[in-house]
Amino acid sequence: MVLLALLLLLPLVNIFVESFRQYVPGRIGGLVGASYTLENYITLLHPVYVGYLVTMLWCATAATIVALVMGYPIAYVIARTRSHATRMALLGLLVGLLFLSALVRVYSLELSFGSVGLGRIIAGLMDVSPNSRTYAEFLVMIGLVHHSIPLSALLMTGTIQNINPKLVEAGMALGAPLWRAQLSITFPLSMPGILSAFLVCYTINMSAFVVPMILGKGKIHFLSNLVYDRYAELANFPSGSAIAVQLLLVTLIATYGIGWLLRRWTSEGAGV
Amino acid sequence: MRRIFDDIWKIAALVLMALTLAFLIGPMIVAIAMSFDARGYLAPFPPTSLSLRWYAAFFANGSFVSGLGNSLVLGFLATIVSAFAGTMGALALVNNKFRGKAVLSALFLSPLMIPAVVVGLALLIFFSRIAVFDGFFRLFCAHVVVTLPFTVRAALASLSGIRRSYVEAAMSLGASPARAFWDISFPLAKTGIFAGCIFAFAYSLDDVAVSLFLYDTNSITLPIALVSHMRANFDLSVAAAATFLAFITVLLIVVLDRIIGLNRVVGQGLYR
Amino acid sequence: MSGISKRKFLTQLGAGVGTAALFTSKPWIRRAAAADVTLVGVEWGGPWLEGAKAVAAKQPKFNIQWETHGGGAAAIMAKIKTAWPTPLYDFVAQFDPLYYAWMREGWPEPLSIDEMPNLKDIPAESFVRNDKGQIINVPISQSGRFWGYRSDKAPFAVKKHEDLLDPRLKGQICVPDALQSQNSMVAMFALAFGGDEKNMEPGWDFMKRLAKSGNIGRVAKTEVDFINSLSSGECSVGIWSNAAWSKIADVGPCVFLSRVPGDKIFRTGLLTEGFMIPSNSTKKKEAKEFLNFFVSPENNQLYNEKLNFVPTNLKSGATKMAQNIVFKTSEERKEFAVVFDFVTLGAQQNQMTAKWEQEITPLLR
């Protein structure tokens, strides 16, 4: 435990410190020993970077919500179905998808929904060109959703399994229609699972890298793309660290903010 | 009147599920088709002719095969440790009410919120400071740290649904806390822990950005080998490797089910 | 924490120690034979590595352990820097302008033609020298970047650079971003409109016009991105290296705009790739011997065949595809080939990337 905390914290501190260092173009990393500066953070106040942040937030939030909505029925079926074959098939599908490397999945989405696939039809419906920025944003969201559904479904299954089905039967015996019984009984009780799924999927979507890079056609940049450029190509570690810190803070605030809201709506808030 | 709403509800749920499944399976078929595509480049679906060349190329390439070996060993070891630590962490979060619980929870989730490249570099610097240069060990530590959010969250999703009264009942009957965990909490939480293991393993097999800074000549992982190969050539071996891995995993699950019964491994909750 | 007994903690500790012991012994990795001299070299993967291995296989003295560049250039530099002075590699493949980054860190080992006689067959301008005038790189390939299009997919035949702004090309152009080849695309624009590497404003102006036109379908971040974009038919016009174009030429008929008379944008930007030896290597003498072998006429030719790059050794022959960027006479070179001032471009890399992020990306439709 202590070892893990060490491994987690020390690098984090290092990044934080690095973000305050000066960067000398052409050299590798920040200038050690020189005075610290806030410049890396001030640059981020530029409206363009705020724009990138907003796009990222919009894509990640919308994608996570859609993924949760789409994943819930699957989780429900896996948890409740009496057919062993169905359960196996669905589990197999979800697990198989997870092990299909992210890069391959992204390229297959590019082929399916890109300008050489269904893109022409869908973009036509949206009245934009399939190579346009608007459609690229849509593609990125599709990519994020596709990536998140297996995760969310698998995470929610465990919780739904532990809910007593007799509760819904009892509700219906008391006169509630099925839809009302589900909404007021199963749904709130599965909240810990939904919350966990939300947290994991949201953080993954916020720090998504491959999906925006390939599906975004270079027109959509998530913060982690900006960081990658600075770390892996430019060796401008200070600026990269500043953006990483920003991403961490934003994700923390957004995740816990929305999580807190969700918990407010349901009184059963067992678990963190 | 109520019946109609119930029917509408059921139909809506089914339609949503059908759409989700189509959305998930479609690109998967495209990905599989890519691996059998005889054309030597990324081309529109469907393939004009099929071939096994990518599979042949994959297995003939020594660096891919040794990379696969490295990745499997690394993934396996990292998953076990991560699952163990993750479950411990989840237990700590569920069982206790202490101040700073939210902070600890956030700490566990933080590696996901930081762009993978940043984590990789931070760990590289950390390991250099303590003069550890062995690639495999560095990768192992990094993968444990990075998969921890998955295992913690997944275990938490299951554990938090378990009524505390069960554990208390067991303990009042004379079981030690460890025994109570093993006999009561663990079986109920198995689904979550299993899901966590799956995520961890899948992530470890797929990770490039974290491993990028930490590997050395003897510890090249499969995704790094594939990505290095792809500098100027979108070699569809990636698709072959991914399909192969996904297929093996699904096969493994089917075999596990035949031998031990999936329900014993994955867990089936309280109510069957 | 309740639930964690001392027993569990000790088991965990034991597992940790056991795992660490397992890793340090690593029984599943076979070690290289101790008899030969082993050198550790870094190359790019794919055809680069194939070519390098083919050359290495032709000699019996050295056993080469190859490591590949997994990602961007800075990854390997970060590894070297954090490990310094512990030696990691004996030679590393890099290109313009990373030579200058290395020199600023003080890493490259000086080389001389006396120690490596095959270097005399390489044109003097390919060498990069440190401030003492010593050679620090072993140039092995020359590649070129130029515009081109797929004649089976492009809406019309592109003849002059103004065509790039033509509305018929909406969403059809795939361009590199500012990190590719040190933004040499915009540098070429700058040279065409009266600027140069130090004054890039005219280049940025044209870039902004191109961005606003809505003709850019994709901004590719890697060569694979570019190849996929054109091979799948997403875009039909673009600019990248000779190697990329040779892959696309396999897919469909292409027209290369590497030497269009009178057009200052449809020219070729040249760059060299080469090896450098870190000065902290323990086997510098052996590395020099091996690299000398590597750039002999036959070996240089063999290496460049798979890449369709131009061999740096003047005695080597070039493949057909490489002929695109071979300029035989000095007039040809002067008119169609550009060697950018990578020192300046490299120093501005950070600003240029920031400028791209701030001023170009928001304009893209």
Side-chain angles (χ1 to χ4, degrees):
Chain A
M1 275 287 118
V2 177
L3 205 66
L4 276 163
L6 213 71
L7 274 174
L8 274 170
L9 280 176
L10 281 182
L12 277 175
V13 169
N14 202 320
I15 296 170
F16 192 64
V17 170
E18 185 80 13
S19 66
F20 289 109
R21 293 225 171 97
Q22 289 174 17
Y23 172 68
V24 175
R27 297 220 37 182
I28 299 160
L31 212 53
V32 182
S35 60
Y36 290 108
T37 166
L38 274 179
E39 201 190 313
N40 295 312
Y41 287 100
I42 297 179
T43 328
L44 293 176
L45 292 175
H46 195 289
V48 170
Y49 293 110
V50 176
Y52 287 133
L53 184 65
V54 168
T55 311
M56 183 182 85
L57 281 171
W58 154 241
C59 288
T61 315
T64 311
I65 295 177
V66 171
L68 287 177
V69 167
M70 287 175 93
Y72 198 86
I74 299 188
Y76 190 82
V77 170
I78 296 183
R80 290 272 185 256
T81 183
R82 292 189 204 286
S83 156
H84 189 67
T86 316
R87 197 155 183 255
M88 290 293 298
L90 284 174
L91 269 177
L93 173 68
L94 293 179
V95 173
L97 273 173
L98 280 177
F99 278 87
L100 211 59
S101 109
L103 201 61
V104 173
R105 264 186 290 173
V106 169
Y107 272 114
S108 65
L109 283 168
E110 171 78 45
L111 283 179
S112 324
F113 292 100
S115 56
V116 295
L118 293 174
R120 270 166 296 174
I121 305 174
I122 303 178
L125 288 173
M126 290 165 65
D127 201 29
V128 287
S129 150
N131 275 350
S132 67
R133 189 182 184 283
T134 320
Y135 192 67
E137 212 172 279
F138 180 68
L139 258 185
V140 169
M141 276 195 261
I142 289 189
L144 292 175
V145 171
H146 197 266
H147 198 74
S148 309
I149 294 183
L151 287 171
S152 69
L154 280 173
L155 279 169
M156 292 192 281
T157 308
T159 325
I160 301 181
Q161 270 181 324
N162 288 335
I163 300 176
N164 193 339
K166 298 219 188 306
L167 289 172
V168 174
E169 282 174 30
M172 283 171 69
L174 286 171
L178 178 66
W179 61 268
R180 182 120 179 247
Q182 297 279 27
L183 273 178
S184 54
I185 301 181
T186 320
F187 182 66
L189 283 178
S190 52
M191 198 40 96
I194 298 181
L195 216 60
S196 266
F198 173 77
L199 282 175
V200 172
C201 290
Y202 197 60
T203 43
I204 289 188
N205 287 339
M206 291 280 268
S207 61
F209 168 67
V210 184
V211 170
M213 184 171 102
I214 296 180
L215 292 176
K217 301 191 207 287
K219 302 182 188 180
I220 309 282
H221 287 217
F222 276 26
L223 289 192
S224 43
N225 298 112
L226 297 177
V227 173
Y228 181 82
D229 285 344
R230 285 160 177 67
Y231 264 70
E233 302 278 356
L234 287 171
N236 181 354
F237 301 146
S239 175
S241 307
I243 301 185
V245 170
Q246 181 194 34
L247 181 60
L248 181 62
L249 284 173
V250 171
T251 314
L252 272 171
I253 296 175
T255 321
Y256 282 95
I258 302 185
W260 177 80
L261 265 174
L262 271 177
R263 246 172 294 153
R264 275 280 300 263
W265 285 345
T266 58
S267 42
E268 199 90 56
V272 181
Chain B
M1 189 51 173
R2 269 191 206 140
R3 280 271 191 71
I4 302 180
F5 279 140
D6 276 356
D7 288 338
I8 296 181
W9 177 255
K10 284 199 196 133
I11 293 177
L14 270 168
V15 167
L16 180 61
M17 188 144 151
L19 271 173
T20 311
L21 285 174
F23 177 65
L24 288 176
I25 297 179
M28 192 162 97
I29 295 184
V30 174
I32 298 177
M34 270 205 293
S35 69
F36 289 109
D37 197 329
R39 294 172 294 191
Y41 50 90
L42 189 77
F45 180 81
T48 49
S49 54
L50 301 175
S51 146
L52 280 177
R53 62 187 278 206
W54 303 116
Y55 290 93
F58 176 67
F59 287 107
N61 189 321
S63 71
F64 286 165
V65 176
S66 73
L68 180 63
N70 278 337
S71 280
L72 286 174
V73 174
L74 178 68
F76 187 67
L77 288 167
T79 304
I80 293 191
V81 174
S82 178
F84 189 66
T87 316
M88 293 291 123
L91 270 176
L93 285 174
V94 160
N95 285 343
N96 302 293
K97 300 208 174 306
F98 53 88
R99 292 184 134 265
K101 196 168 165 186
V103 174
L104 193 64
S105 168
L107 186 70
F108 280 133
L109 208 52
S110 61
L112 266 184
M113 297 190 209
I114 308 176
V117 237
V118 177
V119 176
L121 182 71
L123 284 171
L124 175 69
I125 297 178
F126 175 70
F127 282 119
S128 316
R129 293 246 172 88
I130 58 175
V132 172
F133 294 117
D134 182 60
F136 203 92
F137 185 65
R138 295 192 304 203
L139 283 172
F140 169 72
C141 291
H143 281 218
V144 169
V145 167
V146 161
T147 54
L148 206 61
F150 292 114
T151 50
V152 169
R153 274 290 130 195
L156 204 57
S158 281
L159 281 172
S160 49
I162 300 171
R163 313 278 291 277
R164 186 124 178 90
S165 45
Y166 297 145
V167 178
E168 283 168 0
M171 279 166 68
S172 75
L173 285 171
S176 65
R179 181 92 191 272
F181 168 72
W182 191 253
D183 284 342
I184 309 237
S185 310
F186 181 67
L188 291 177
K190 259 201 274 202
T191 317
I193 300 179
F194 174 74
C197 287
I198 295 273
F199 296 158
F201 197 57
Y203 190 91
S204 168
L205 277 179
D206 202 23
D207 171 72
V208 174
V210 177
S211 313
L212 190 60
F213 287 102
L214 300 170
Y215 73 95
D216 64 7
T217 334
N218 284 327
S219 58
I220 301 182
T221 62
L222 180 66
I224 296 229
L226 287 169
V227 163
S228 311
H229 189 75
M230 272 184 12
R231 191 200 177 204
N233 202 12
F234 185 66
D235 206 304
L236 288 164
S237 318
V238 194
T243 313
F244 174 68
L245 273 173
F247 178 68
I248 293 284
T249 322
V250 176
L251 202 67
L252 211 71
I253 295 195
V254 172
V255 165
L256 257 179
D257 183 46
R258 281 293 139 92
I259 301 182
I260 328 180
L262 196 65
N263 294 332
R264 295 194 57 182
V265 175
V266 176
Q268 51 186 2
L270 283 167
Y271 311 102
R272 264 269 146 247
Chain C
M1 291 182 257
S2 78
I4 308 279
S5 60
K6 192 161 146 190
R7 185 163 31 105
K8 273 217 157 57
F9 176 70
L10 285 174
T11 342
Q12 220 177 341
L13 191 65
V17 171
T19 332
L22 188 67
F23 290 148
T24 43
S25 60
K26 283 203 285 273
W28 57 84
I29 293 179
R30 276 168 291 133
R31 301 242 174 251
D36 316 317
V37 175
T38 303
L39 296 174
V40 183
V42 185
E43 248 291 19
W44 285 283
W48 279 262
L49 189 60
E50 278 169 42
K53 279 187 174 166
V55 173
K58 284 173 68 180
Q59 53 84 40
K61 189 166 177 194
F62 300 109
N63 175 38
I64 313 288
Q65 230 180 356
W66 293 104
E67 193 175 307
T68 47
H69 286 290
I76 206 97
M77 292 203 285
K79 283 187 188 164
I80 297 179
K81 180 157 185 168
T82 48
W84 199 274
T86 311
L88 291 177
Y89 311 114
D90 297 308
F91 56 92
V92 182
Q94 299 274 251
F95 49 68
D96 299 300
L98 298 169
Y99 303 133
Y100 306 100
W102 276 57
M103 282 201 287
R104 252 176 252 118
E105 296 291 330
W107 293 342
E109 168 77 6
L111 312 166
S112 69
I113 300 189
D114 300 323
E115 292 174 300
M116 303 173 64
N118 277 328
L119 291 182
K120 66 178 172 2
D121 294 323
I122 297 177
E125 62 253 22
S126 306
F127 290 119
V128 176
R129 294 170 187 276
N130 61 13
D131 46 9
K132 294 204 190 79
Q134 299 162 309
I135 301 173
I136 53 120
N137 66 330
V138 181
I140 48 178
S141 317
Q142 189 162 73
S143 75
R145 297 173 78 90
F146 49 87
W147 286 87
Y149 61 93
R150 272 183 71 172
S151 42
D152 57 342
K153 289 268 178 193
F156 65 95
V158 177
K159 295 237 164 48
K160 48 195 194 317
H161 69 259
E162 291 85 353
D163 286 342
L164 292 175
L165 297 171
D166 192 307
R168 286 175 288 172
L169 285 184
K170 209 164 208 72
Q172 286 297 308
I173 306 184
C174 182
V175 295
D177 68 359
L179 281 168
Q180 301 308 315
S181 184
Q182 284 59 54
N183 209 15
S184 53
M185 175 181 68
V186 178
M188 187 73 94
F189 293 160
L191 288 173
F193 291 107
D196 60 22
E197 290 89 338
K198 294 198 167 65
N199 169 26
M200 299 263 281
E201 269 322 296
W204 287 112
D205 280 341
F206 186 73
M207 188 66 232
K208 286 183 202 168
R209 285 172 62 198
L210 192 56
K212 273 192 246 185
S213 70
N215 287 358
I216 297 184
R218 174 179 285 267
V219 177
K221 286 198 70 67
T222 63
E223 190 152 328
V224 168
D225 249 359
F226 177 77
I227 296 177
N228 285 340
S229 180
L230 266 84
S231 69
S232 64
E234 179 188 64
C235 293
S236 53
V237 183
I239 167 173
W240 213 277
S241 72
N242 204 36
W245 283 116
S246 64
K247 293 280 175 319
I248 297 168
D250 286 340
V251 177
C254 295
V255 173
F256 301 125
L257 302 163
S258 57
R259 49 182 99 201
V260 175
D263 196 309
K264 285 204 170 269
I265 288 182
F266 288 164
R267 295 190 285 176
T268 305
L270 294 175
L271 66 92
T272 42
E273 293 181 0
F275 286 115
M276 282 191 284
I277 299 178
S279 56
N280 67 344
S281 153
T282 50
K283 304 204 180 83
K284 287 186 277 208
K285 199 161 139 316
E286 291 86 346
K288 287 179 189 174
E289 201 184 315
F290 176 71
L291 290 183
N292 187 47
F293 172 79
F294 206 91
V295 290
S296 76
E298 321 82 53
N299 291 333
N300 200 224
Q301 180 168 337
L302 173 64
Y303 174 78
N304 283 294
E305 255 164 27
K306 288 211 181 281
L307 293 166
N308 284 307
F309 283 170
V310 180
T312 43
N313 194 315
L314 290 170
K315 292 194 180 136
S316 310
T319 61
K320 193 158 157 297
M321 183 70 204
Q323 300 296 338
N324 262 324
I325 51 176
V326 172
F327 301 97
K328 296 251 162 50
T329 67
S330 65
E331 289 90 36
E332 264 203 328
R333 263 183 98 89
K334 227 162 148 206
E335 217 203 313
F336 299 122
V338 179
V339 177
F340 292 105
D341 173 9
F342 283 113
V343 186
T344 314
L345 287 178
Q348 291 175 30
Q349 185 70 81
N350 194 48
Q351 288 154 265
M352 296 195 292
T353 311
K355 202 168 166 104
W356 185 282
E357 277 171 11
Q358 290 168 15
E359 294 177 38
I360 305 293
T361 309
L363 290 175
L364 294 173
R365 287 284 125 240

